[in-house]
Amino acid sequence: MRVGIGYDVHVFGEQEDLILGGVEIDYVKGLVGHSDADVLLHSIMDALLGAMGAGDIGRLFPDDDPAYEGISSLQLLKEVKLLSFDKGFLINNLDAVIIAQQPKLADKIRFMEAKIADILEVDIARINIKATTTERLGFVGRKEGIAAQAIVSLNKGVDN
Ligand SMILES: [Zn+2]
């Protein structure tokens, strides 16, 4: 069994859409980034790549590569999943937390879990997403951006 950790932060921008866990969230601001700035999926991909010993998303999808400009992070997650299949890994479980003062996300969490489980081709029971605030402290508390952390455990299924 292998574990990996991921962490990511994106800053809010006025002209952006807010997409978290592949789900569009209705909010006055969105996150700024080279791709769709899906901070949750980025932290999940980094956790998966970490567990595989395969670096991070910056190495896999360089942000100076025009191929990834505005790309859906669901598409990137699919590529990371294919890499994990190639290497013979199976997802045991994935746990992640979105750290945001606003917006409220409780009613969107199940949709994110469903989307992520679908892309990763695992049972939704293996995927757990949470959201928390920072009690108004720090950059998250000042609503300057959103952070996300993820941890994943993989089992080596077949030896590739
Ligand atoms: Zn990111």
Side-chain angles (χ1 to χ4, degrees):
M1 193 198 69
R2 317 249 318 211
V3 297
I5 185 174
Y7 177 71
D8 195 26
V9 174
H10 282 263
V11 65
F12 277 127
E14 304 281 348
Q15 311 299 330
E16 316 292 328
D17 294 325
L18 181 58
I19 298 165
L20 293 171
V23 176
E24 268 190 64
I25 310 288
D26 192 28
Y27 188 51
V28 289
K29 293 176 184 177
L31 296 172
V32 178
H34 185 67
S35 66
D36 62 1
D38 190 327
V39 66
L40 174 61
L41 292 191
H42 292 182
S43 72
I44 288 171
M45 285 188 271
D46 266 353
L48 286 163
L49 291 166
M52 286 185 250
D56 62 23
I57 53 172
R59 195 199 295 180
L60 212 61
F61 311 115
D63 64 7
D64 57 359
D65 187 336
Y68 303 118
E69 192 170 341
I71 195 171
S72 166
S73 295
L74 288 168
Q75 190 59 42
L76 302 180
L77 182 62
K78 193 177 278 183
E79 290 189 33
V80 171
K81 176 201 67 180
L82 293 173
L83 182 65
S84 75
F85 283 7
D86 270 0
K87 290 177 175 288
F89 287 111
L90 299 168
I91 292 169
N92 184 39
N93 79 303
L94 163 65
D95 187 26
V97 56
I98 305 163
I99 306 156
Q101 192 64 43
Q102 272 188 344
K104 292 279 166 264
L105 298 167
D107 60 342
K108 298 290 192 292
I109 295 288
R110 287 301 280 175
F111 295 106
M112 296 179 200
E113 288 173 341
K115 211 143 218 182
I116 293 162
D118 183 48
I119 295 280
L120 294 178
E121 297 182 59
V122 297
D123 194 290
I124 194 169
R126 293 180 185 273
I127 308 294
N128 193 78
I129 308 295
K130 314 180 287 290
T132 189
T133 72
T134 58
E135 300 288 341
R136 303 185 186 282
L137 294 173
F139 71 88
V140 166
R142 292 189 297 272
K143 299 177 229 168
E144 293 168 4
I146 293 180
Q149 289 181 326
I151 187 163
V152 65
S153 75
L154 303 179
N155 290 317
K156 189 91 170 171
V158 281
D159 233 344
N160 282 6

